Amino acid sequence: MIKKLNNIGDCGIVCDFGDEVNKSINTSVIKLFNHIKNQVSKGNLEGILNYTPSYNKLIINFDLEKINSSKIIDFLKSVNFSKINLSQNSKKWTIPVCYDFEMDLENMSKTLKMNKDEIINIHLNTDFFVYMIGFIPGHPFMGDLDKKFETNRLETPRVKLPRGSVGIVEKFCNIYPFESPGGWNIVGKTPLQLFNINKKITSLLSPGDTVIFKSITKKDLLSFIK
């Protein structure tokens, strides 16, 4: 549940659910995100410009000419989280990944004292929960990996990572939707397009979705790309 409500300047509110990063807290964040989205679409909450979820916060931006923070805070305090059904909005995805395009399995194998096949097997057998989309458009932050599998960021981030790179840091997994800098440990690559500006729903994944990975060969990946 919401622990604190604070104003950010004249036209922003942060809904603070605490400092922990876990699925339970993030589920509450996503429930509120979906509830606000639903109320805005129905015209029951005018003046809302944007609402952005993170691991344990939700930021709401609004138009001062149409609504004020007091009205929004009253609305937020009236929300009954027990009556919001997250499953109606969430989807389950199976994402292909080719581990032949890894960059860091050798170093991860030494650090974790596991062979590469064991690391890949753990990755394939983890149900990932999408905590949030951020950093760049369509970029998912997914958890939760087993603690014995946790790794740190690279000491020196790479200047460029190919689109579709699948990375791991600590208990999280991500996918780079575009070529970009990055400091995560890259274990493979997916051919799927995670963000398309020309589609009505631009981002393939959304907060609250679940993801499992399916191993494909290099030949399969190249045939996807074609």
Side-chain angles (χ1 to χ4, degrees):
M1 300 304 113
I2 302 174
K3 292 190 175 182
K4 290 185 293 184
L5 291 168
N6 295 316
N7 289 308
I8 305 176
D10 294 330
C11 52
I13 294 173
V14 59
C15 309
D16 190 339
F17 289 77
D19 296 325
E20 293 183 44
V21 178
N22 59 52
K23 185 176 178 179
S24 176
I25 287 177
N26 188 251
T27 296
S28 294
V29 175
I30 297 169
K31 279 185 174 183
L32 182 58
F33 170 80
N34 287 330
H35 183 58
I36 292 173
K37 182 179 180 180
N38 186 44
Q39 294 303 304
V40 169
S41 67
K42 289 181 177 179
N44 297 332
L45 197 59
E46 295 183 355
I48 302 299
L49 300 175
N50 196 22
Y51 29 98
T52 308
S54 68
Y55 291 126
N56 46 31
K57 310 283 188 295
L58 180 74
I59 294 177
I60 302 170
N61 298 107
F62 55 92
D63 185 345
L64 269 175
E65 293 184 354
K66 296 180 179 179
I67 197 169
N68 58 46
S69 62
S70 296
K71 288 183 180 179
I72 297 174
I73 289 172
D74 288 342
F75 163 80
L76 293 170
K77 289 180 177 179
S78 71
V79 174
N80 186 341
F81 285 85
S82 65
K83 293 185 178 180
I84 305 174
N85 188 352
L86 180 62
S87 63
Q88 291 180 349
N89 300 288
S90 60
K91 295 179 181 179
K92 296 182 179 180
W93 301 91
T94 299
I95 293 182
V97 58
C98 179
Y99 294 101
D100 291 334
F101 285 83
E102 59 85 12
M103 298 179 184
D104 299 297
L105 281 177
E106 186 68 40
N107 288 333
M108 289 176 66
S109 179
K110 293 176 182 178
T111 301
L112 298 171
K113 295 179 173 56
M114 298 179 185
N115 62 51
K116 290 183 180 181
D117 288 340
E118 188 176 1
I119 294 172
I120 290 170
N121 188 56
I122 292 173
H123 189 250
L124 286 171
N125 285 281
T126 299
D127 290 337
F128 290 97
F129 180 81
V130 181
Y131 277 85
M132 65 178 185
I133 305 294
F135 174 51
I136 52 179
H139 189 160
F141 288 79
M142 306 175 285
D144 297 297
L145 284 164
D146 189 291
K147 285 189 175 181
K148 69 178 182 180
F149 197 56
E150 291 187 7
T151 55
N152 296 322
R153 290 175 180 270
L154 303 180
E155 288 186 9
T156 303
R158 294 183 172 97
V159 176
K160 286 184 180 180
L161 285 174
R163 189 189 84 176
S165 295
V166 178
I168 290 171
V169 159
E170 298 173 350
K171 66 177 182 177
F172 299 107
C173 177
N174 76 357
I175 305 171
Y176 290 87
F178 301 97
E179 180 181 87
S180 71
W184 291 45
N185 302 282
I186 304 303
V187 298
K189 181 178 181 180
T190 181
L192 291 191
Q193 185 176 13
L194 296 189
F195 187 85
N196 188 335
I197 193 65
N198 296 315
K199 290 187 175 182
K200 183 177 180 181
I201 300 176
T202 54
S203 179
L204 180 69
L205 303 177
S206 298
D209 287 354
T210 54
V211 169
I212 58 171
F213 287 93
K214 176 184 177 181
S215 180
I216 60 173
T217 65
K218 185 176 182 179
K219 183 178 178 180
D220 290 333
L221 183 138
L222 293 175
S223 66
F224 264 106
I225 295 173
K226 290 178 182 178

